[in-house]
Amino acid sequence: MRPLERPASRWLLPLLLVAMACSGTNPPPPLSPPADPHPSEASSAPASAPARREPPVPTRREDVVETLHGEEIHDPYRWLEDGESAEVKAWQAAQNERTGKALSALPGRAALTRRIESLLRIGHVGSPAVYGAKKGKGRYFSTRQAPSEDQPVLYVRDGVTGADHKLVDPNTLGKDGLVSLDFWAPSWDGKKLAYGISSGGDEQSTLHVMDVETGKDLPETEVIPRARYASVAWLPDGKSFYYTRFPQKGDVPDGEEHYHRKVYLHRIGEPWAKDALVFGEGRAMTDSPSVSISPNGRWLVASVHMGWSRVEAYLLDHKAGPKAKFVPLVVPKENAIYDVDVYDDFLLVRTNDGAPTYELYRVDPQKPAREHWKKILPATSDVLQTATSIGGQIFATYIVDARSVVRRFSATGEPKGEIPLPTMGTTGGVSGAWDGHEAFVGFTSFAVPGTILRFDLATEKVNTWAEIQPPVDASEFVVTQEKARSKDGTMVPYFLVHKKGVARDGKAPAVLTGYGGFNIAQMPAFAGSRYVMLEQGGVLAVANLRGGGEYGEAWHRAGMLGAKQNVFDDLYAVAEKLVADGVTSSERMAVMGGSNGGLLVGAAITQRPELFRAAVCAVPLLDMLRYHKFLIAKLWIPEYGSSEDPAQFEWLRAYSPYHNVKPGAAYPAVLFATAEGDSRVDPLHARKMAALLQAEAGGDKPILLRVEGKAGHGAGKPISKKIEEATDVYSFLFWQLGMRPPG
C-alpha cells in the first residue's frame, strides 16, 4: 500500500487504542475526597455493603420495555440516547459539574498536571512518504509536532537533506487546537497534495487540494465535503484523482449518510458535485471501498472491506479505454482478507485465505486468474502484517509474540536479512518510493516515544532519520512478557511494565488494560501519561487478548461473534495471575480500556466486579442490543453480531454490560469518559450505563461520568485536551488505588 493510503479496515474502527484509553473521567454522586487522601493498604478499599443508594444526580427513569425474541428487555434510561435533547444536556452538565468538583478537590492535582504535561508535550515525528524520487531526488512529506503545538503539522522537503517547509498547519486553522489533519495524499510527482481536515474530533473530513510549489490551496471547486476516511489515488498527470466520499444528508434515507461510501473521479478545476461515480453503485450500504493505482496509471484496484474479516478486490485496466470496467481480482467464497498493492507491472497480494498468519503473492495484472499467482512469502508461525516493494526488494513486517520484526526479501522471496530495531517494540510498516533507494521504518516501544529509521538499500546501513527524546529514563524500568492460562486452557500473553525494585508482595497498585477485537494487536507503544503512575511505583499490564491480531486470524476469530466471551475470560485470567504472582491485589488493581476496550471494561465490571478496585471505561460500547442502530455501528455487525438475529441475540444478551447490572451488587469505582463529538461510538452508551450504575450499585464507591465537549473518539484531539483528560483519569486512579501524587 502507498505510505499514507490508510486502509478502510483500519480507519473505520471504533478504535481508541488502549494506549490512549486514559482519555478522560467523570463522577456522579456527591463525592468528597477521603479523609486520608493517601490511605494505607488496609484502608484503601473500605468494605462496601451491598445497599443501593440514591443517584447523585436526579435521573428520571422510564418504563420502556420491548420484547426481543420472546424476552422482555427493560431500558429505563432510553431517553438518555437523545444527545440533542435539552433535558439530556442539562443532566449531562450536572454530571460533568459533579465530576469536576470531585476530581479537582483531590490533593496533589497540580503536581499531577505538571508531570503529565511534561510527559505529553514531547512532540511527534512521522515516517516520510517519498514522491517523485529518482536518483536521490524527490519530495519527502512527513508530519512533525513541536512540544508547544496541539496538532501535528505536515512538512515537505526537496531531497533527503533539504530544508523542511510547512504545508498544512492545523494549529493556525482554528481556535484551541480543535482543527486536525485527518489524511494526506501527494500526487505521484509530488507537485500536488490532497488532504483532509476536520474540527472537534468529529472526523467528518473536508478534502482540499494544494499546489505544493506555492503552498496554496486550489480554488473552491477542489473543496470536497463528506470525505471521511478518504482513500485517494492520483493519476500520473496530477490533474485528476480517484477518491471516496460519503453521501450528503438527504441523498439517502435518514441515518444512512454514515454509510454508502463510493469511489468518484475528480478532475482539477471541475465542480466536485459533477464528479463521475466510478465504483460502489448497487453494493450493500455497509461495504467500504478504497482505491489504489499503479504509478503509471494503468491499473486501478478497488478493495471492498466488508467488516474486519472479508475483503474483495476488483481490477480495472485503463489501457482498455473509456469503456474499461472493473473485473473481479478476488471475491472470496468465505471470509478472507486480501490486501493489494499496485505497481506498474505487478501486484503484491497479502492474504489469510487458507493461511491464518497470512502469505504474500506476486500477481501479473494481465493474468490475474488465481492459477497464475506466484507465492513468494509462504505462511509461517509469525504473522505477516505488511509487505511493500521498494527499490526491487520486499520489506515485510511480522508480528512475533506481539512485537515487530522487519525482514527484507528479494523480489522473488529470497531472504536478505532483518532491519535491526532499537529494542522490543512496534512498527506500523515500512515506507519508501517503489522505485527508490531507501526505506523508512517508524518505531515505538514502551519507553521509546518515536524513532524513524532510514535504511539505505545500496549500503545496507541504518541510521536515525528523526527521533523524539523520551521524557523518562528507560533504564529505570523493566519490561517483561508473561502468560496466564485462560478458562479454556488457552495461554494468554501479557506485558508487564514497572520500575526496577517493585516487590511482588501484592501491595503495588496496578492498571490492567486490553482491547481484544477487530484484529488489532496490542503491542509495545509509548503512552507518556502512563509514566506518572509507573514513576510512583505502579505496574502496567497490557494483555494480548483473543479477538486481536497478535497471532493471526485464528486468534481474531477466537474472540469475535459468539466467541466474544473468550476475550473477557482472557482478561480475568491475566488479572487473577497478577494477584497469584503477588504483582498486585484486587484491592489495588484497576482495569482500563477504550472503545472496544471500553466494552471489555464494561463486561469486566459487570461479570467480575470483585477483581478490580476501579475502572476507567472510555468511549465505550455498553448497550449491545441497540449499538448497531447508531452512527456507523452497522459496520461492526460482522465483528459482534446483531440482536435482530435470534441466535446472535442470545450471546449479545449474555454479556451486554447495560443489561447485566445487578441491583444492589458491589461494583468497582468507575469513571466513564466519553465525548459529545464522537462520530464512531455514540456517547449514549456511557450516559445510560452511568445512570444505571448510579441507581443500582450497592456500596459507596463512586460512579463518575465525564463528557468532553468539542472532542470525538480520540483522533485529532489536541494535546491540551489530552492533558486535561489524563489529569482527571490519573487523579481518579491515584485516589482509588491509594497512590501518592508526584512531588
Side-chain angles (χ1 to χ4, degrees):
M1 109 187 26
R2 300 294 163 251
L4 280 134
E5 186 177 298
R6 296 171 170 177
S9 60
R10 288 292 177 90
W11 293 93
L12 295 184
L13 293 180
L15 168 68
L16 178 66
L17 293 178
V18 175
M20 300 170 60
C22 29
S23 57
T25 28
N26 283 277
L31 300 173
S32 55
D36 177 3
H38 310 298
S40 65
E41 181 189 5
S43 64
S44 66
S48 299
R52 294 167 65 179
R53 30 85 181 285
E54 287 299 315
V57 174
T59 306
R60 175 168 61 85
R61 292 177 68 104
E62 283 186 350
D63 188 24
V64 176
V65 182
E66 62 181 338
T67 301
L68 290 177
H69 310 295
E71 181 179 347
E72 285 191 352
I73 303 296
H74 294 262
D75 190 356
Y77 298 107
R78 184 169 293 184
W79 66 274
L80 285 171
E81 292 179 353
D82 184 3
E84 298 302 313
S85 158
E87 183 182 12
V88 172
K89 288 182 177 180
W91 178 88
Q92 183 173 283
Q95 293 278 352
N96 266 344
E97 181 180 9
R98 185 173 179 286
T99 297
K101 286 181 178 179
L103 297 181
S104 63
L106 296 172
R109 186 175 168 89
L112 203 61
T113 301
R114 285 193 297 270
R115 183 55 182 144
I116 288 173
E117 182 162 14
S118 69
L119 289 165
L120 293 183
R121 285 203 179 277
I122 59 174
H124 155 84
V125 290
S127 291
V130 189
Y131 287 82
K134 290 184 178 179
K135 297 181 180 179
K137 297 181 180 179
R139 284 190 166 149
Y140 294 68
F141 297 80
S142 64
T143 55
R144 195 169 71 239
Q145 183 176 8
S148 61
E149 293 173 326
D150 267 323
Q151 298 286 351
V153 177
L154 178 62
Y155 290 83
V156 67
R157 68 169 63 173
D158 289 326
V160 67
T161 60
D164 285 332
H165 301 283
K166 284 186 180 180
L167 276 183
V168 183
D169 184 356
N171 299 286
T172 66
L173 299 179
K175 296 180 180 179
D176 303 321
L178 296 177
V179 175
S180 61
L181 177 64
D182 299 334
F183 63 84
W184 47 278
S187 59
W188 287 105
D189 58 10
K191 293 182 179 180
K192 289 190 175 64
L193 175 79
Y195 69 94
I197 57 173
S198 62
S199 181
D202 66 8
E203 302 178 87
Q204 304 295 343
S205 307
T206 299
L207 189 154
H208 298 254
V209 180
M210 175 183 286
D211 183 316
V212 175
E213 302 276 357
T214 64
K216 295 182 179 179
D217 282 349
L218 298 186
E220 286 297 313
T221 51
E222 319 310 331
V223 179
I224 304 175
R226 305 291 296 159
R228 180 176 187 163
Y229 315 125
S231 174
V232 177
W234 283 88
L235 286 161
D237 62 7
K239 297 179 181 179
S240 52
F241 57 84
Y242 294 96
Y243 72 103
T244 58
R245 76 165 188 259
F246 289 84
Q248 299 279 78
K249 192 174 180 64
D251 289 348
V252 293
D254 192 38
E256 292 187 12
E257 63 273 10
H258 302 298
Y259 307 99
H260 297 287
R261 169 168 148 148
K262 293 182 175 63
V263 179
Y264 297 85
L265 174 63
H266 180 71
R267 302 184 188 280
I268 301 296
E270 297 184 5
W272 66 265
K274 295 184 179 180
D275 288 349
L277 173 62
V278 174
F279 185 90
E281 188 66 30
R283 297 195 65 96
M285 73 176 186
T286 52
D287 287 357
S288 183
S290 58
V291 285
S292 55
I293 197 168
S294 59
N296 62 10
R298 178 174 179 180
W299 305 104
L300 180 68
V301 170
S303 298
V304 185
H305 297 262
M306 308 160 75
W308 279 260
S309 298
R310 183 182 176 93
V311 179
E312 299 178 353
Y314 298 83
L315 181 68
L316 182 146
D317 182 0
H318 272 129
K319 195 173 181 179
K323 295 184 179 181
K325 294 183 179 181
F326 283 97
V327 296
L329 176 65
V330 62
V331 179
K333 294 180 180 179
E334 298 179 352
N335 282 352
I337 291 174
Y338 286 84
D339 288 337
V340 183
D341 270 359
V342 196
Y343 302 90
D344 277 355
D345 56 1
F346 68 95
L347 314 175
L348 287 181
V349 181
R350 185 187 73 106
T351 181
N352 62 4
D353 196 351
T357 58
Y358 296 86
E359 54 193 7
L360 188 71
Y361 290 85
R362 185 182 177 104
V363 178
D364 181 348
Q366 297 190 63
K367 298 178 180 178
R370 184 62 184 263
E371 60 264 26
H372 299 303
W373 293 19
K374 295 180 180 179
K375 186 184 297 186
I376 54 176
L377 295 183
T380 70
S381 58
D382 303 328
V383 180
L384 175 60
Q385 190 176 31
T386 68
T388 188
S389 179
I390 300 172
Q393 297 184 24
I394 294 172
F395 290 78
T397 63
Y398 286 85
I399 302 176
V400 182
D401 283 334
R403 64 189 75 178
S404 289
V405 174
V406 182
R407 296 170 180 155
R408 291 190 299 130
F409 300 87
S410 71
T412 53
E414 289 79 19
K416 296 178 70 66
E418 293 185 3
I419 295 181
L421 300 177
T423 184
M424 175 180 68
T426 305
T427 175
V430 182
S431 66
W434 69 279
D435 56 351
H437 63 285
E438 60 196 343
F440 295 91
V441 180
F443 178 83
T444 184
S445 190
F446 287 117
V448 180
T451 296
I452 311 300
L453 304 175
R454 178 181 178 270
F455 177 82
D456 189 303
L457 273 68
T459 65
E460 298 193 351
K461 291 183 178 180
V462 178
N463 57 36
T464 300
W465 163 272
E467 63 182 338
I468 297 295
Q469 292 301 318
V472 296
D473 183 353
S475 67
E476 294 183 359
F477 298 90
V478 177
V479 179
T480 58
Q481 194 173 22
E482 305 186 23
K483 292 186 177 182
R485 188 178 299 277
S486 194
K487 184 177 181 179
D488 63 358
T490 299
M491 299 306 294
V492 180
Y494 60 95
F495 292 100
L496 277 184
V497 187
H498 57 81
K499 209 169 183 180
K500 288 180 178 178
V502 171
R504 292 202 172 192
D505 57 5
K507 296 180 180 180
V511 173
L512 170 60
T513 187
Y515 192 78
F518 295 92
N519 205 22
I520 297 297
Q522 290 301 107
M523 296 164 67
F526 186 81
S529 56
R530 290 170 169 171
Y531 279 88
V532 76
M533 174 197 68
L534 294 172
E535 290 170 339
Q536 300 305 116
V539 177
L540 171 70
V542 180
N544 300 117
L545 312 173
R546 281 176 284 184
E550 292 89 344
Y551 296 95
E553 185 60 17
W555 191 256
H556 172 213
R557 290 184 180 279
M560 60 184 285
L561 296 172
K564 189 68 176 177
Q565 184 61 43
N566 286 338
V567 182
F568 312 140
D569 291 340
D570 290 355
L571 182 82
Y572 310 149
V574 174
E576 290 167 345
K577 186 72 159 40
L578 294 176
V579 174
D581 288 351
V583 173
T584 188
S585 68
S586 291
E587 296 301 335
R588 303 300 301 275
M589 181 164 47
V591 60
M592 181 163 65
S595 195
N596 175 69
L599 168 60
L600 175 72
V601 172
I605 61 179
T606 50
Q607 293 184 4
R608 296 294 304 276
E610 80 286 355
L611 276 178
F612 307 101
R613 165 65 197 225
V616 176
C617 187
V619 289
L621 292 103
L622 297 166
D623 182 341
M624 296 306 291
L625 300 187
R626 287 175 59 77
Y627 83 93
H628 61 290
K629 298 178 180 291
F630 304 96
L631 300 177
I632 65 172
K634 284 183 173 62
L635 296 173
W636 312 330
I637 290 174
E639 183 80 10
Y640 296 128
S642 167
S643 61
E644 294 175 13
D645 179 283
Q648 296 175 1
F649 165 80
E650 292 297 330
W651 72 59
L652 289 165
R653 173 66 181 85
Y655 73 76
S656 176
Y658 181 70
H659 300 93
N660 282 282
V661 173
K662 298 176 178 62
Y667 290 103
V670 185
L671 175 60
F672 292 103
T674 186
E676 289 181 345
D678 194 332
S679 56
R680 301 193 203 185
V681 179
D682 198 299
L684 69 88
H685 291 272
R687 289 194 297 258
K688 289 173 65 174
M689 189 70 170
L692 184 62
L693 274 181
Q694 287 173 12
E696 301 290 354
D700 58 359
K701 293 189 180 73
I703 309 295
L704 312 177
L705 175 66
R706 182 185 193 277
V707 184
E708 178 68 63
K710 297 181 180 179
H713 197 67
K717 189 168 291 180
I719 292 293
S720 54
K721 282 188 177 291
K722 291 180 181 179
I723 292 167
E724 292 172 0
E725 291 174 341
T727 298
D728 279 352
V729 166
Y730 284 101
S731 293
F732 172 78
L733 289 174
F734 273 51
W735 170 27
Q736 292 302 316
L737 300 183
M739 298 181 67
R740 292 184 179 275

